[in-house]
Amino acid sequence: RTQERLRYTNQLAKILSQLLPDGTSGSISTVPLGHRPNITANDEPLLVTQLLNHVTVLHQIAEQTGRYIELGLEPEPNCYLETLQEAALFLQRGPFAQSGVEQFAKLTGLSSSRAEEALRRHLGVCLDACHMAVEFEAPLEAVAMLKAAGVRITKLQVSAGLSCALGGDKQADALHLERLEKLNDSVYLHQVVELHAGSLNRYADLPQALSSYPTQAGPRQWRIHFHVPVFMRQLEQLGSTQSDLQSLLAEQRRAPFCSHLEVETYTWDVLPPSARQATLTSAIVQELNWTLRELGLPSGAGAIQQ
């Protein structure tokens, strides 16, 4: 909502336009409008205006330099846009609606048809595989939904989160909860989404989820916004959402839906000691090689260097 954020994002785009090699496009991921507790539907007109003002800058950059830069709203748990479905609906009722297109046409001097084309070219969603899995969104259905809605996937963030089955054996539950407690840190938010009896329950951070357990009997699955290195199926005997990521990469290999892929693990400093045996450099190389193999591309130091 703030002018400071708009200026910041405009500056990012201008810097990126100077760094891009000729013949390539760039992408910037941004917050899904803001933290859910701080935003209401009444803020949407201002949010739409801010986005349209930014896309005007992106359009001007493309006209002046021939370099296209895309802005991707990145849905995240406990934010105003938590899911890809919510992001698609917001774009359809806001920037991509007739009123949004007309507003953008006035800002750019484009015809309505060209304005809508430019809007959809420069504005879309950043699909973070970890966030998507934490929200229990089915990978292939999400990609198909965005395609059907005409929403561009500007960037695919190659990432995985934690998964934990609870509500079975009490002793096993106690061990899982103890392991999760050890992963709690003050550096990052670790939002939790719980699937229980067919419903989703959301917690703003791991401590709230831990303190609430168990509120009701029965099996449940937790998915936690804690980035796990993508090549790991487990972390401290807790599961990861790697299989959801593999589905996305298999679809990208079969029918490419995004031109920008970004391996996004950033939690190296807060991983447990058992997951930090290798150097940071070798761990990042391992992630890149794993991703290349999943995409059916050559791996190894030479491939990464290219």
Side-chain angles (χ1 to χ4, degrees):
R1 291 171 301 186
T2 67
Q3 288 301 111
E4 290 82 2
R5 185 76 192 206
L6 176 60
R7 282 196 296 269
Y8 168 76
T9 312
N10 288 345
Q11 287 173 338
L12 284 182
K14 291 172 183 177
I15 292 169
L16 181 57
S17 72
Q18 297 176 46
L19 295 174
L20 285 173
D22 289 338
T24 63
S25 61
S27 61
I28 297 171
S29 60
T30 193
V31 293
L33 306 179
H35 196 213
R36 183 177 286 278
N38 300 333
I39 293 182
T40 70
N42 293 331
D43 294 310
E44 286 200 6
L46 173 58
L47 294 166
V48 170
T49 295
Q50 293 284 76
L51 286 171
L52 295 176
N53 284 332
H54 174 67
V55 178
T56 299
V57 172
L58 300 184
H59 170 71
Q60 291 168 348
I61 290 172
E63 291 287 291
Q64 294 164 6
T65 69
R67 293 175 174 142
Y68 283 87
I69 296 174
E70 304 162 357
L71 183 75
L73 300 172
E74 183 182 333
E76 180 175 339
N78 207 42
C79 291
Y80 189 68
L81 304 177
E82 293 198 65
T83 66
L84 294 162
Q85 178 75 47
E86 289 181 353
L89 290 172
F90 167 77
L91 289 170
Q92 288 174 318
R93 69 174 177 266
F96 297 166
Q98 187 61 38
S99 58
V101 172
E102 290 175 359
Q103 189 176 347
F104 185 64
K106 288 180 181 178
L107 289 168
T108 58
L110 295 171
S111 66
S112 292
S113 59
R114 287 197 61 209
E116 182 172 3
E117 181 183 345
L119 259 177
R120 291 181 181 269
R121 176 67 176 82
H122 288 292
L123 181 61
V125 299
C126 170
L127 195 167
D128 184 302
C130 171
H131 298 172
M132 179 204 68
V134 169
E135 287 287 348
F136 290 90
E137 291 190 278
L140 301 187
E141 285 84 341
V143 171
M145 177 273 298
L146 292 170
K147 183 178 180 180
V151 174
R152 190 178 189 86
I153 300 175
T154 62
K155 187 185 309 223
L156 170 60
Q157 288 186 329
V158 178
S159 56
L162 277 175
S163 178
C164 179
L166 295 166
D169 179 83
K170 288 186 178 181
Q171 186 175 3
D173 280 5
L175 287 173
H176 285 326
L177 295 172
E178 182 180 344
R179 293 177 184 121
L180 288 171
E181 183 63 54
K182 290 179 180 178
L183 295 178
N184 184 36
D185 63 74
S186 59
V187 181
Y188 304 111
L189 273 177
H190 300 304
Q191 304 97 310
V192 179
V193 180
E194 173 189 78
L195 176 62
H196 176 254
S199 297
L200 297 180
N201 304 310
R202 293 178 169 86
Y203 302 93
D205 204 355
L206 192 51
Q208 288 91 317
L210 292 170
S211 64
S212 72
Y213 183 83
T215 54
Q216 295 174 306
R220 66 201 65 225
Q221 186 179 12
W222 281 8
R223 292 191 176 176
I224 301 110
H225 182 211
F226 185 104
H227 282 241
V228 178
V230 297
F231 53 79
M232 297 180 67
R233 286 192 175 276
Q234 286 190 319
L235 181 67
E236 295 284 273
Q237 296 181 293
L238 296 165
S240 86
T241 62
Q242 186 195 70
S243 61
D244 284 43
L245 173 59
Q246 288 176 307
S247 294
L248 281 175
L249 294 177
E251 181 65 10
Q252 173 72 10
R253 178 179 179 176
R254 185 191 70 82
F257 57 85
C258 183
S259 59
H260 292 170
L261 278 69
E262 176 181 282
V263 183
E264 203 225 359
T265 306
Y266 54 77
T267 49
W268 302 105
D269 289 341
V270 297
L271 291 174
S274 63
R276 284 188 279 152
Q277 300 300 308
T279 66
L280 178 59
T281 301
S282 62
I284 290 173
V285 168
Q286 192 173 352
E287 281 208 305
L288 294 175
N289 278 327
W290 181 91
T291 302
L292 289 169
R293 287 193 297 271
E294 292 294 318
L295 291 168
L297 299 171
S299 60
I304 291 174
Q305 189 175 12
Q306 286 181 335

